[in-house]
Amino acid sequence: MYSTGHHFEPPAPPLAPDRVTGLGVLMRLRRNAFSAFPARCFSAPAIKYRLGITDLILANTPDAMRHVLADHPDRFRRVRATGRVLGPLLGRGLAAAEGEAWRRQRRTLAPAFTPRTLPVLSQHIAACAEATCARIEASSDGSIDLLSAMQDLSLDIAARSMFSLETARFGPELRRLLVFYSATIGRPRASDFLLPSKLLTPTDVRRALFRRRWSRIISSVIAERRTTASPDTPRDMFDMLVDAYKDQDEGLLADEVSTMLFAGHETTGLTLFWACFLLANAPEWQDAVREEARACDVSPSTAGEALARLPLTRAVVEETLRLYPPAYMSARAVMDPHDLCGLPVRSGSLVLLPFCMLHRNPAFWASPSRFDPSRFLDAARPDRFTFLPFGAGPRVCIGAQLAIAESMLVLARLLRGNAIAMEHADPVQPIGSFSTRPSPVPVFKLRRGMPRAPVKSRRARSMTELGATAKGRSRSDGNADV
Ligand code: HEM
């Protein structure tokens, strides 16, 4: 196993007490999902709480998650909280659709995300990464807010790779609205899970008003795309959607564009931020990623081929997704009474799947609090259902490959020419509420060139061992559908 000799344990908030009630879990979700669930989740496959006239089930183990997501997806449906919290951004887009509409939308979009499309997507990623890194390098006085930089870059990549658009005109307003939404009315509340959809709370009214402002920007994005495309522009996802939805109302097209822009950048931007945070605190891993990036060409024309030569960078991205999954949890409602890992569940019960707990369960992960990307290099990679940053089953994230490729190529480009460190040593906590955001938002120091002398003797030994493990690793391991 590759070892840097240095062990970084990033801070994490304390778990909920074991005596927490079902309502307590839901209330804690608004503050921080990383401290909403009790340690009991590490031992019980599923836990049931009474919640008024219904039940709340926490599905904790790989078997319980497999049951809900992959083995019996037809026995569960989306919960109304998803519609309340994400509805203003997703509308009727793929992530919110159900039944036959969902099947049709998934079939329409799937061709845009097959492995065949990765080389072209990688070109766009590399071009955007190059432009952003060059700008940062030219303008930075050394101090930088990498959270904003990575989220702006991810939005750039989503807009360019899927819709052939530059973000100069709409990007800042779109990001400003999202930052506002995620910090305020986008945080899930207990009432989102408990109240019938028809009963509107003051927060729901504010969300509806937000949706109007958001939809206005999405309409202007679509108008811009329609006017800027020339007959020579290669076909992109927008053309595909226009063809597929020509018999549908314009609103569905707008919801799909909105879904892809939102889901396609918020989570990936956060992954990049957390990877930078972890690498700034684990300098030996940072050196190893830099060395790997310097040994291959990540410029646009060759970026697609470079992906296979960045196994260490990929392991860092996966370890980041384990510790800080941007989608920290999923939720479903039970459609018919049955048995979930020995626990009888009633129709209408609410099931939570806390990925953030699964990823830190000591029964499945050695030293789970430790940042150790080498666990993703081992021949004995984690079992598919112990690592679910993209979910699983028919509703697995459609953009998972794109997100991983994007995170790898951006990290490789950023680190091959720069070193990053934290400006202050203050602890940074993950806050899982709308997504997994840092608190406080830290400032980084960026230094151009090769800042640290490599630790020669240990590096030489470890990199030799690493070469052996990384080469022996096959991409068909573990995440078959990711
Ligand atoms: C690191 C980045 C990402 C993470 C962690 C992530 C996570 C997830 C998860 C956990 C789900 C499943 C939710 C559930 O079953 O309830 C999901 C679904 C989805 N994701 Fe992602 N995602 C990422 C990037 C992307 C990208 C780049 C796109 C699009 C370009 C995207 C589009 C979607 C869509 C449309 C769905 C709904 C799929 C369906 O219901 O059929 N995601 N994502």
Side-chain angles (χ1 to χ4, degrees), residues 23 26 31 44 46 64 76 101 104 115 153-154 168 195 254 258 262 264 266 269 284 348 355 358 401 421 450 454:
L23 185 62
L26 294 186
R31 280 203 304 276
F76 299 88
R104 206 176 44 245
L153 170 57
S154 289
L195 294 183
S258 174
F262 161 65
E266 168 79 8
E284 295 189 23
F355 304 137
L358 176 76
Q401 299 282 3
M450 188 65 190

Side-chain angles (χ1 to χ4, degrees), residues 63 99 130 137 145 155 157 179-180 251 304 316 324 355 386 405 409 456 460 465 472:
D63 281 349
E130 180 53 41
E137 288 157 3
D145 169 2
L155 178 58
I157 292 172
V179 168
F180 160 77
V316 165
Y324 301 114
F355 304 137
T386 55
L409 291 172
K456 279 213 172 91
E465 288 168 12

Side-chain angles (χ1 to χ4, degrees), residues 69 78 94-97 102 106 109 113 158 162 237 256 259-260 263-265 267-268 271 321 325-327 329-332 355 388-392 394-400 402-404 406-407:
L69 296 173
R78 286 270 187 269
L94 178 66
W102 169 77
R106 182 101 191 183
L109 283 158
F113 293 99
M162 294 188 278
M237 186 190 289
E256 216 67 280
T259 296
M260 289 300 147
H265 92 279
T267 44
T268 318
T271 306
L321 288 167
M329 173 190 101
S330 195
R332 296 288 191 273
F355 304 137
L388 294 172
F390 297 106
R395 298 207 73 150
V396 69
C397 175
I398 199 165
L402 169 61
I404 297 240
E406 176 176 335
S407 307

Side-chain angles (χ1 to χ4, degrees), residues 65-288:
M65 302 231 180
R66 183 200 307 258
H67 173 101
V68 177
L69 296 173
D71 292 348
H72 302 284
D74 296 339
R75 302 187 108 152
F76 299 88
R77 59 174 164 73
R78 286 270 187 269
V79 296
R80 49 182 173 253
T82 308
R84 282 191 139 114
V85 175
L86 295 177
L89 303 162
L90 305 177
R92 289 172 291 149
L94 178 66
E98 296 264 32
E100 193 42 48
W102 169 77
R103 263 183 285 280
R104 206 176 44 245
Q105 288 169 241
R106 182 101 191 183
R107 263 199 314 271
T108 301
L109 283 158
F113 293 99
T114 61
R116 246 182 329 113
T117 61
L118 261 193
V120 176
L121 293 174
S122 299
Q123 277 182 30
H124 290 298
I125 296 168
C128 294
E130 180 53 41
T132 294
C133 290
R135 201 167 49 243
I136 290 174
E137 288 157 3
S139 66
S140 172
D141 61 354
S143 298
I144 179 160
D145 169 2
L146 278 178
L147 178 61
S148 299
M150 292 300 116
Q151 293 204 302
D152 291 349
L153 170 57
S154 289
L155 178 58
D156 247 9
I157 292 172
R160 199 186 300 188
S161 61
M162 294 188 278
F163 303 118
S164 315
L165 276 172
E166 305 293 328
T167 49
R169 268 171 20 95
F170 64 86
E173 177 64 358
L174 216 131
R175 280 292 325 149
R176 204 180 57 72
L177 278 184
L178 252 188
V179 168
F180 160 77
Y181 190 74
S182 61
T184 55
I185 47 178
R187 303 180 79 133
R189 289 146 200 259
S191 55
D192 293 328
F193 293 93
L194 297 174
L195 294 183
S197 316
K198 288 196 178 116
L199 206 64
L200 295 188
T201 64
T203 306
D204 292 328
V205 175
R206 290 179 70 199
R207 287 170 179 158
L209 293 174
F210 172 89
R211 176 158 167 82
R212 276 209 224 152
R213 291 168 70 193
W214 179 264
S215 300
R216 272 200 296 274
I217 306 189
I218 296 298
S219 298
S220 66
V221 170
I222 292 178
E224 183 170 331
R225 172 62 180 72
R226 286 202 155 115
T227 51
T228 52
S230 78
D232 308 330
T233 314
R235 245 179 97 74
D236 62 9
M237 186 190 289
F238 186 79
D239 298 309
M240 237 176 66
L241 287 171
V242 169
D243 283 354
Y245 295 169
K246 57 178 178 293
D247 300 328
Q248 311 274 336
D249 60 298
E250 178 84 3
L252 183 59
L253 175 71
D255 284 344
E256 216 67 280
V257 170
S258 174
T259 296
M260 289 300 147
L261 279 180
F262 161 65
H265 92 279
E266 168 79 8
T267 44
T268 318
L270 285 168
T271 306
L272 279 162
F273 161 80
W274 285 112
C276 289
F277 168 73
L278 290 164
L279 291 173
N281 284 285
E284 295 189 23
W285 276 105
Q286 189 182 146
D287 285 345

Side-chain angles (χ1 to χ4, degrees), residues 1-7 279 282-292 311-313 315-316 370-379 452 454-470:
M1 178 187 273
Y2 178 61
S3 163
T4 62
H6 171 91
H7 296 303
L279 291 173
E284 295 189 23
W285 276 105
Q286 189 182 146
D287 285 345
V289 168
R290 181 175 301 106
E291 243 170 79
E292 184 176 77
L312 237 172
T313 313
V316 165
R370 183 180 290 174
F371 172 61
D372 181 9
S374 70
R375 63 178 98 236
F376 286 95
L377 289 170
D378 279 348
R452 297 175 79 241
V455 190
K456 279 213 172 91
S457 52
R458 187 166 60 216
R459 165 84 49 242
R461 194 196 68 228
S462 334
M463 290 306 283
T464 314
E465 288 168 12
L466 170 68
T469 2

